[in-house]
């Protein structure tokens, strides 16, 4: 029976229309994975030398063990955010004489085949041999790597279990994230040393090898936890949908009603974003874009790298807009036919999308004004890149969006959901982020960096003042492409 | 009202639709029948400017539908789920449709009153999103939304599918009434020969994209259709 389940899973994978159509996207993702594996492999091979360089003459096993609790905590958090739950259409099996137990075991085990479980081994295996083994002998090396394996899979079962249970409760996720951050800060401030606890725990394991039974039991417990949860919930509606959701009255805004069709389209967009899992995940990613500057501004190294700061500026006020405009038509793929046959003027429709895109950018810009704290120059760069974003980038993105003709499934949410992302979306990102930097360079090389930054803003203002003219190109292109888009959107 | 000239549509070399000429007059109720893959939906999509034909054109009120938006004002249509906005409640969806057609709240209330029987208390006030409703109820919402702006032309693709028997009868009566009282032009495709002969005064049989029969409904039509489909399968 298991044989059939695996076979069906395999077929649903290779026969998925999305995968077949998206060869280039697959190649790009494949390339990134390849690079990542190559790096990790290299890091693993050189791990003993690196440790020697960074921590000369110290107890490397102890240092490494000190990292582990952090690693597994962060790993758990990342899994929660990013690891995709395998999608199995249980309805097609439940009515057949197959034992429920078997289906549940299969679903739980299916999560084991995730890249998250195998990438860390590229580091852990060399560490077990070259560091633990070299220092404490082969028996310790075996104990250590087995312990790691149990912990990795325990994290796998626990992470996917938590994801199943809590995916719809972003607040809890946020609090957990903050808690982990706090632990790290406390450790840095030396208030409470999480790493000492971690080092002690895993040293015990190496000294008393029979303690290996603890991580093993932990793995079994997490497996049973996930298993029991699913076993109880093995009804399609309970596994997939949340029930009894209240209908929000978001977007029942009086002002929108006064705008006529434009208002209706905006209200529709707001509901679209709030009521679908995938788009809602995106809203929760907003702080990530806004906090981006915080990674760079406090560091004096970047102070004089204006080219880089331009990139940061574009990203902060434009990142969210990019997410919106780049897929602006694909988001509505579910009901694109309706929009095309109802009395909606396409020119007005496109213009409304443009305005919403700009509004998003305005909000992002306002929220990043506090970065003024890091100096007027940073504010100046952010203001100019903001103008560029709303005047030029917005139009480019809208134009590119007409080339994205893949249906997007909005009910499945996850940070790394590539479903429905077309090649055009990737192409759009290149000019999106690089063009202002390219514009800036000649000015900077000629010795007028500030003029260069200002020029980026002026370009934006020019684009903004001619937006009606520029949007007419988008409109013409849209009219040309709408049949292709409609056809693509219909393909499930 | 609607005129089709030399319309063809090909998918990877195969012709799926080939209609040299067809005219549908104002107030006519036009029934389209044919087996799966005969080209019914493709034809409707061409009429609604949702696919670009390989050649030919569709005119609505003497104006080509491609390149014009005017026909949308007087055409109501429901082909499939893709016409519904699934994350809205039915009320929100109707409100949206009313807004884009510039209708007032009063019109919407009247509409709810008129369609009260058709909805049979299963649609309004349920606090459910459209995507959480059964396919029959979604079908009702789509058909009602197509009729909401009181269109002159109505295009429905297999409207009787997945409706319960009571609603099927209600829909039949509603369509007959719209025809006699409002002189609505109706284009309806169906697999159910009983329903379509009852509602439509003109029946066209489509086979492999071509019109093979075009007849005015009479007493013998149902029998003739049954005979046709018994042989050609």
């Amino acid at each position: 029976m298991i044989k059939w389940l695996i076979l069906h899973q395999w077929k649903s994978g290779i026969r998925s229309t999305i995968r077949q159509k998206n060869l280039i996207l697959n190649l790009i993702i494949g390339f990134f994975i390849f690079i990542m594996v190559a790096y990790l492999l290299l890091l693993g091979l050189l791990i003993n030398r690196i440790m020697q360089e960074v921590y000369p003459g110290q107890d490397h096993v102890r240092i490494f063990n000190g990292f582990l609790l952090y690693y597994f905590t962060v790993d758990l958090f990342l899994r929660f955010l990013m690891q995709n739950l395998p999608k199995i259409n249980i309805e097609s099996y439940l009515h057949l004489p197959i034992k429920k137990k078997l289906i549940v075991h299969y679903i739980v085990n299916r999560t084991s085949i995730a890249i998250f479980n195998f990438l860390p081994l590229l580091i852990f295996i060399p560490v077990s041999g070259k560091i633990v083994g070299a220092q404490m002998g082969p028996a310790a090396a075996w104990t250590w790597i087995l312990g790691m394996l149990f912990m990795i899979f325990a994290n796998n079962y626990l992470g996917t279990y938590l994801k199943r249970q809590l995916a719809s409760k972003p607040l809890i996720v946020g609090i957990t994230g903050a808690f982990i951050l706090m632990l790290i800060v406390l450790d840095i401030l030396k208030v409470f040393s999480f790493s000492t606890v971690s080092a002690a725990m895993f040293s015990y394991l190496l000294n008393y090898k029979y303690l290996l039974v603890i991580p093993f039991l932990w793995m079994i417990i997490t497996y049973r936890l996930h298993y029991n949860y699913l076993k109880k919930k093995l009804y399609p509606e309970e596994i997939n949908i949340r029930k009894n959701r209240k209908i929000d009255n978001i977007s029942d805004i009086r002002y929108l009603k006064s705008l006529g069709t434009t208002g209706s389209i905006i209200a529709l967009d707001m509901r679209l974003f709030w009521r679908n899992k995938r788009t809602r995940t995106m809203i929760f990613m907003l702080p990530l874009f806004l906090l981006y500057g915080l990674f760079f501004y406090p560091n004096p190294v970047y102070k004089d790298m204006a080219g880089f700061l331009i990139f940061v500026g574009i990203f902060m006020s434009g990142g969210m807009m990019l997410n919106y405009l780049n897929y602006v038509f694909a988001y509505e793929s579910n009901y694109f036919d309706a929009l095309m046959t109802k009395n909606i003027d396409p020119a007005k429709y496109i213009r409304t999308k443009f305005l919403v895109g700009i509004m998003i950018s305005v909000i992002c810009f306002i929220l990043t004004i506090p970065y003024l704290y890091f100096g007027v120059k940073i504010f100046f760069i952010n203001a100019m890149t903001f103008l560029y974003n709303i005047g030029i980038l917005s139009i480019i993105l809208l134009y590119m969006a007409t080339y994205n003709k893949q249906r997007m499934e909005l009910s499945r949410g996850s940070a790394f959901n590539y479903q429905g992302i077309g090649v055009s979306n990737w192409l759009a990102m290149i000019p999106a982020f690089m063009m202002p930097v390219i514009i800036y360079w000649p000015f900077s090389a000629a010795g007028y960096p500030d003029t260069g930054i200002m020029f980026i803003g002026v370009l934006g203002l020019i684009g903004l003042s001619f937006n009606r003219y520029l949007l007419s190109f988008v409109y013409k292109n849209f009219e040309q492409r709408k049949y292709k888009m409609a056809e693509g959107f219909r393909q499930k | 009202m609607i005129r089709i000239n030399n319309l063809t549509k090909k998918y990877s070399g195969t012709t799926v639709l080939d209609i040299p000429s067809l005219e549908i007059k104002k107030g006519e109720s036009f029934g389209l029948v044919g087996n799966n893959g005969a080209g019914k939906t493709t034809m409707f999509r061409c009429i609604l400017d949702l696919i670009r034909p390989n050649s030919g054109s569709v005119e609505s009120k003497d104006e080509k539908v491609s390149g014009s938006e005017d026909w949308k004002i007087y055409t109501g249509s429901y082909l499939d789920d893709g016409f519904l906005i699934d994350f809205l409640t039915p009320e929100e969806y109707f409100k949206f449709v009313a807004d884009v057609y510039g209708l007032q709240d009063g019109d919407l209330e009247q509409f709810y009153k008129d369609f009260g029987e058709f909805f049979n208390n299963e649609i309004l006030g349920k606090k459910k999103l459209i995507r959480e409703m059964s396919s029959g109820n979604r079908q009702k919402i789509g058909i009602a939304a197509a009729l909401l702006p009181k269109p002159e032309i109505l295009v429905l693709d297999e409207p009787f599918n997945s409706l319960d028997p009571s609603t099927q009868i209600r829909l039949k009566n509603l369509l007959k009434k719209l025809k006699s009282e409002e002189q609505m032009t109706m284009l309806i495709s169906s697999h159910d020969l009983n329903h379509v002969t009852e509602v439509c005064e003109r029946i066209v049989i489509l086979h492999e994209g071509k019109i093979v029969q075009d007849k005015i409904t009479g007493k013998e039509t149902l029998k003739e259709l049954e005979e046709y489909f018994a042989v050609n399968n």
Side-chain angles (χ1 to χ4, degrees), chain B residues 113-158:
Chain B
K113 223 178 274 169
D114 293 346
F115 278 78
E117 196 197 343
F118 183 68
F119 289 152
N120 198 24
N121 290 328
E122 286 168 77
I123 307 293
L124 300 173
K126 288 285 173 237
K127 298 211 180 300
K128 257 171 137 183
L129 302 184
I130 293 176
R131 67 174 170 219
E132 293 159 350
M133 297 186 132
S134 71
S135 57
N137 281 335
R138 285 207 295 261
Q139 182 95 353
K140 283 188 214 167
I141 296 167
I143 295 170
L147 286 166
L148 168 56
K150 297 203 164 45
E152 294 171 49
I153 301 175
L154 178 68
V155 183
L156 298 176
D157 193 13
E158 297 181 23

Side-chain angles (χ1 to χ4, degrees), chain B residues 53-229:
Chain B
N54 290 78
S55 74
S57 64
V58 178
E59 287 169 25
S60 185
K61 289 195 181 174
D62 296 322
E63 199 175 12
K64 282 188 182 168
V65 290
S66 62
S68 161
E69 309 290 341
D70 296 343
W71 60 269
K72 291 179 188 172
I73 299 167
Y74 58 80
T75 309
S77 54
Y78 181 72
L79 300 192
D80 54 37
D81 265 8
F83 281 55
L84 296 173
I85 301 177
D86 60 351
F87 56 83
L88 298 182
T89 62
E91 285 93 337
E92 286 168 348
Y93 179 58
F94 291 135
K95 179 83 179 87
F96 173 75
V97 175
D99 270 1
V100 299
Y101 283 94
L103 302 180
Q104 305 301 315
D105 284 353
D107 299 326
L108 202 56
E109 269 162 41
Q110 187 59 43
F111 163 78
Y112 287 151
K113 223 178 274 169
D114 293 346
F115 278 78
E117 196 197 343
F118 183 68
F119 289 152
N120 198 24
N121 290 328
E122 286 168 77
I123 307 293
L124 300 173
K126 288 285 173 237
K127 298 211 180 300
K128 257 171 137 183
L129 302 184
I130 293 176
R131 67 174 170 219
E132 293 159 350
M133 297 186 132
S134 71
S135 57
N137 281 335
R138 285 207 295 261
Q139 182 95 353
K140 283 188 214 167
I141 296 167
I143 295 170
L147 286 166
L148 168 56
K150 297 203 164 45
E152 294 171 49
I153 301 175
L154 178 68
V155 183
L156 298 176
D157 193 13
E158 297 181 23
F160 299 103
N161 267 14
S162 61
L163 292 182
D164 56 62
S166 306
T167 315
Q168 288 185 15
I169 293 163
R170 282 188 196 119
L171 178 61
K172 262 193 301 195
N173 293 335
L174 178 68
L175 293 175
K176 282 189 218 160
K177 197 178 119 199
L178 288 170
K179 183 182 149 33
S180 62
E181 288 176 14
E182 322 259 339
Q183 279 78 49
M184 195 180 279
T185 312
M186 296 191 281
L187 284 72
I188 293 164
S189 79
S190 182
H191 284 312
D192 193 312
L193 301 174
N194 270 313
H195 291 326
V196 80
T197 44
E198 204 176 316
V199 173
C200 297
E201 57 188 6
R202 178 183 175 192
I203 304 277
V204 160
I205 301 178
L206 216 53
H207 182 64
E208 292 178 349
K210 290 193 173 67
I211 294 177
V212 289
Q213 286 191 35
D214 184 348
K215 57 173 92 193
I216 304 297
T217 318
K219 278 196 182 129
E220 298 297 307
T221 313
L222 181 60
K223 222 176 121 201
E224 286 166 23
L225 287 176
E226 276 170 352
E227 276 164 14
Y228 171 85
F229 282 105

Side-chain angles (χ1 to χ4, degrees), chain A residues 257-463:
Chain A
K257 287 182 182 153
S258 67
L259 289 178
T261 308
T262 311
S264 304
I265 298 172
I266 296 177
L268 187 62
D269 257 354
M270 289 170 74
R271 290 193 175 116
L272 172 99
F273 268 73
W274 194 247
R275 291 186 186 171
N276 289 298
K277 212 170 157 192
R278 180 161 168 183
T279 41
R280 213 169 31 205
T281 321
M282 268 178 46
I283 298 176
F284 293 121
M285 277 164 67
L286 179 67
L288 231 68
F289 284 104
L290 299 179
L291 294 174
Y292 195 61
L294 221 50
F295 290 109
F296 303 100
Y297 296 151
N299 194 334
V301 177
Y302 298 105
K303 262 256 145 60
D304 297 314
M305 296 169 67
F308 196 75
L309 293 180
I310 289 171
F311 174 76
V312 175
I314 292 280
F315 195 72
M316 284 195 305
S317 60
M320 208 56 196
M321 182 183 79
L322 177 131
N323 260 338
Y324 172 75
L325 286 182
N326 213 355
Y327 311 104
V328 72
F329 306 119
Y331 284 134
E332 302 192 285
S333 50
N334 258 325
Y335 52 91
F336 194 71
D337 281 352
L339 296 178
M340 290 301 101
T341 49
K342 303 242 179 287
N343 183 32
I344 298 169
D345 175 14
K348 199 187 231 174
Y349 170 68
I350 290 170
R351 191 163 173 73
T352 309
K353 298 290 177 189
F354 172 70
L355 290 175
V356 175
I358 284 187
M359 278 311 295
I360 293 171
S361 188
V362 168
I363 293 168
C364 290
F365 175 65
I366 292 172
L367 290 173
T368 54
I369 286 179
Y371 282 125
L372 201 53
Y373 172 79
F374 292 103
V376 181
K377 188 177 173 192
I378 279 170
F379 176 74
F380 174 60
I381 291 176
N382 286 349
M384 291 301 124
T385 48
F386 160 67
L387 288 178
Y388 172 86
N389 277 341
I390 60 173
I392 303 283
L393 183 63
S394 53
I395 309 255
I396 297 177
L397 291 175
L398 212 45
Y399 191 86
M400 296 300 289
T402 59
Y403 288 91
N404 184 18
K405 51 185 168 70
Q406 263 181 48
R407 186 188 179 85
M408 203 187 276
E409 293 300 341
L410 293 179
S411 47
R412 270 196 287 159
S414 143
F416 270 61
N417 192 346
Y418 291 108
Q419 193 279 321
I421 294 184
V423 179
S424 71
N425 300 84
W426 290 81
L427 288 176
M429 292 183 195
I430 299 168
F433 291 132
M434 290 324 290
M435 208 151 89
V437 184
I438 293 167
I439 294 166
Y440 166 77
W441 270 334
F443 284 95
S444 162
Y448 301 104
D450 286 353
T451 319
I453 295 167
M454 188 124 60
F455 186 65
I456 293 170
V458 171
L459 271 183
L461 282 179
I462 293 173

